[in-house]
Amino acid sequence: MSGRYRLTSVDAVEEEGSWLFTVRDQHGNDEEFFLVPCDDPDRPAVEAWLNRCTHESQRLYREGVGAIVRDGGVVCPKHGSIFDTCTGYCDNGEAADTTLPDVEIAVDGGQVYLVDDDVTFLRAGPSRDDDDDDGPSSTSHLQF
């Protein structure tokens, strides 16, 4: 990808709580990323994280639900690990001491742009991979 691609607005991410999009990486793989608000004044207003828990590749953003965000963290629906919305770092649970992979974005004039030269924007929303639509196979007793 060269240049930048407008994804959505900061307002839309803040209103919805999260926003999903799909890219294609340099190896031809489709990957889902999601945007979440970041409340750190020293960072961009939103951040973009890979839609997979670092522990067992559980989707963190699910269609119809979005990403579960509590107290500045994205909660894994399978084991309850919590990833900081601003840094992607997890300090608890099964995914402790790991960080979610990111994709480079920029925020300009209230708009969010994909600016990562290693990926190509494909679509807003999920990948066309429908083999994981049954939701998490939860082993926790988390309730949201």
Side-chain angles (χ1 to χ4, degrees):
M1 182 187 134
S2 61
R4 64 187 197 170
Y5 184 89
R6 183 189 173 279
L7 296 171
T8 189
S9 68
V10 172
D11 287 344
V13 176
E14 290 174 346
E15 281 179 27
E16 296 175 28
S18 55
W19 193 86
L20 185 71
F21 63 101
T22 302
V23 299
R24 181 158 294 145
D25 68 17
Q26 293 177 317
H27 307 289
N29 300 313
D30 292 359
E31 295 286 355
E32 293 178 358
F33 285 84
F34 63 94
L35 301 170
V36 287
C38 171
D39 292 331
D40 184 338
D42 296 325
R43 299 183 67 97
V46 298
E47 293 288 348
W49 305 113
L50 183 65
N51 191 23
R52 295 281 179 188
C53 178
T54 56
H55 174 235
E56 285 187 357
S57 295
Q58 175 67 48
R59 283 186 168 144
L60 300 171
Y61 180 109
R62 293 187 41 232
E63 219 172 344
V65 177
I68 305 300
V69 178
R70 298 282 187 266
D71 299 323
V74 176
V75 181
C76 174
K78 187 166 185 177
H79 292 110
S81 293
I82 300 173
F83 298 88
D84 185 272
T85 56
C86 297
T87 65
Y89 181 74
C90 178
D91 66 1
N92 73 316
E94 301 290 339
D97 297 321
T98 65
T99 302
L100 291 171
D102 65 346
V103 67
E104 192 175 351
I105 61 168
V107 176
D108 184 17
Q111 303 302 307
V112 183
Y113 297 91
L114 178 64
V115 295
D116 196 315
D117 289 333
D118 294 331
V119 299
T120 301
F121 178 81
L122 292 180
R123 70 186 64 84
S127 68
R128 299 290 186 228
D129 177 8
D130 294 329
D131 65 354
D132 193 18
D133 286 345
D134 295 329
S137 54
S138 181
T139 59
S140 72
H141 300 293
L142 293 177
Q143 294 180 343
F144 300 106

